Amino acid sequence: MMLIFKKHIFFSSFILFLLLGINSTPSQAQSFTLAPAIHQKSFITSDHVKLHYLIGGEGVKTLFFIPGWMMPAEVFNAQLNYFAKNYRVISFSPRSQGKSDIYLGANLAELRARDIKELLASTQTSEFTLIGWSLGVMEALDYINRYGDQGLQSLVLIDNSIGEGTPPKTSSASRSNTKMTTASFKKYVKGFVSAIFKSNPPLDFIQTVESSALRLSSSPENAFAILRKPYSREYYRDTIYKTQVPIWYAITPRYSEQALLLSEKHPLGEFKIYEDNAGHGLFVDKAAEFNLDLENFLRKSN
């Protein structure tokens, strides 16, 4: 059953969610091939890290996609292909993810937010929608808190906590994951990737996602350091309510309480709950439906 709510929803234990043992079920497999309009590029950050990104489309307005923890730019292929016909689209691989440089320095939140700012500047992006998934929700909001919302047309937050309502439960298992060995991390990644999706994405898609998630297998502590943010839940919540742009919160049922609170408190918010055959990577599991929903939101808000 699908629930849609008009109006106006922290990151708990992302790892715990991925370890819930979601069973795969057959679904609409989306082609992993990028459309000819999408091109691979890279740029060098101010601290000399090469970041890979995908860019294409001819629209005046830009959709800027921020992937989750250890995920590559290509995780949004279905969205890039679909929206390139009417929008300029950009998806990037953050430090140590996808085809970007491995970075073994301190994975400070401020560096990752600055990377977003510098890529927007490098691509001369002036009017844009930020679309963050999972950890990308936190990093999109951190960017806005640090650099403001100039040029921001709308905001899309996909399946992560936003600091509202009852704090999600954490587990001792998730807190100890930083002590993994290389072997245990590789085993973990296998389960991590399979748990994200309820559908059966194409093999080359899964291989690309898994390869990205394994980039820091020789130093798991660096991988898990990316997840640690020096902020309270309220940091993300307050950022949302200071941002007076249209917001769409696309979620699975575990964030329903936060969605309802957002809808009551933000004058320009909407949310949708994806239930049937939709996992954490709901924009992959329900790609066609998600794309249409996002398109409708963008038409109304932009």
Side-chain angles (χ1 to χ4, degrees):
M1 176 179 170
M2 176 184 70
L3 301 179
I4 303 176
F5 294 83
K6 177 77 172 70
K7 282 189 76 178
H8 307 247
I9 223 186
F10 172 74
F11 172 66
S12 60
S13 174
F14 175 73
I15 297 172
L16 176 62
F17 173 77
L18 295 173
L19 291 175
L20 290 178
I22 300 172
N23 293 322
S24 294
T25 56
S27 80
Q28 49 191 351
Q30 300 294 320
S31 172
F32 186 56
T33 304
L34 276 169
I38 308 300
H39 307 286
Q40 301 196 42
K41 293 191 176 182
S42 63
F43 86 108
I44 307 297
T45 67
S46 56
D47 61 340
H48 313 296
V49 176
K50 180 186 285 189
L51 299 185
H52 170 261
Y53 64 97
L54 301 170
I55 186 170
E58 300 293 335
V60 174
K61 296 180 179 179
T62 299
L63 306 184
F64 190 96
F65 294 86
I66 307 171
W69 181 68
M70 299 310 297
M71 294 290 101
E74 289 83 357
V75 75
F76 289 113
N77 273 18
Q79 286 67 52
L80 300 178
N81 288 345
Y82 182 85
F83 286 100
K85 62 182 183 288
N86 292 317
Y87 294 87
R88 183 167 174 255
V89 293
I90 299 173
S91 180
F92 85 115
S93 295
R95 297 165 181 246
S96 301
Q97 300 178 206
K99 297 175 183 175
S100 293
D101 282 354
I102 288 179
Y103 179 73
L104 297 179
N107 277 291
L108 302 176
E110 61 196 68
L111 291 183
R112 293 173 70 89
R114 190 180 70 192
D115 289 344
I116 295 172
K117 177 180 182 292
E118 292 182 355
L119 179 52
L120 287 169
S122 177
T123 54
Q124 299 181 323
T125 300
S126 57
E127 297 183 11
F128 59 97
T129 294
L130 281 183
I131 303 172
W133 167 51
S134 195
L135 183 63
V137 167
M138 301 171 71
E139 297 188 335
L141 292 173
D142 192 21
Y143 163 83
I144 293 169
N145 188 281
R146 291 176 181 278
Y147 300 109
D149 57 7
Q150 182 176 0
L152 183 67
Q153 304 292 299
S154 54
L155 179 62
V156 177
L157 307 174
I158 306 172
D159 212 51
N160 201 357
S161 172
I162 56 168
E164 265 293 8
T166 306
K169 294 180 180 179
T170 59
S171 72
S172 58
S174 66
R175 291 192 294 269
S176 65
N177 277 328
T178 55
K179 299 187 174 105
M180 284 186 181
T181 64
T182 294
S184 61
F185 183 78
K186 288 181 177 179
K187 182 178 179 180
Y188 167 78
V189 163
K190 293 283 187 181
F192 160 79
V193 172
S194 65
I196 295 174
F197 311 109
K198 276 195 173 183
S199 62
N200 292 317
L203 180 59
D204 53 354
F205 178 91
I206 291 296
Q207 289 174 333
T208 298
V209 168
E210 189 173 287
S211 176
S212 177
L214 285 168
R215 292 292 304 283
L216 289 175
S217 58
S218 62
S219 55
E221 66 279 4
N222 285 88
F224 289 111
I226 295 170
L227 291 171
R228 292 195 290 271
K229 302 295 183 184
Y231 317 117
S232 66
R233 299 180 74 246
E234 290 74 22
Y235 177 87
Y236 302 101
R237 182 197 65 194
D238 295 348
T239 298
I240 284 176
Y241 296 124
K242 288 187 292 188
T243 304
Q244 295 304 306
V245 299
I247 298 174
W248 184 45
Y249 193 27
I251 57 168
T252 48
R254 70 194 304 254
Y255 298 116
S256 298
E257 179 194 4
Q258 299 194 55
L260 288 168
L261 289 168
L262 176 66
S263 70
E264 293 171 359
K265 295 164 66 173
H266 198 291
L268 298 174
E270 301 182 19
F271 71 89
K272 174 168 177 175
I273 301 174
Y274 291 81
E275 295 191 74
D276 295 338
N277 300 317
H280 185 49
L282 57 89
F283 57 93
V284 174
D285 292 332
K286 309 286 283 187
E289 181 180 343
F290 175 88
N291 289 347
L292 286 173
D293 292 337
L294 176 54
E295 185 172 41
N296 288 334
F297 168 74
L298 293 168
R299 283 174 176 169
K300 289 184 297 181
S301 62
N302 294 345

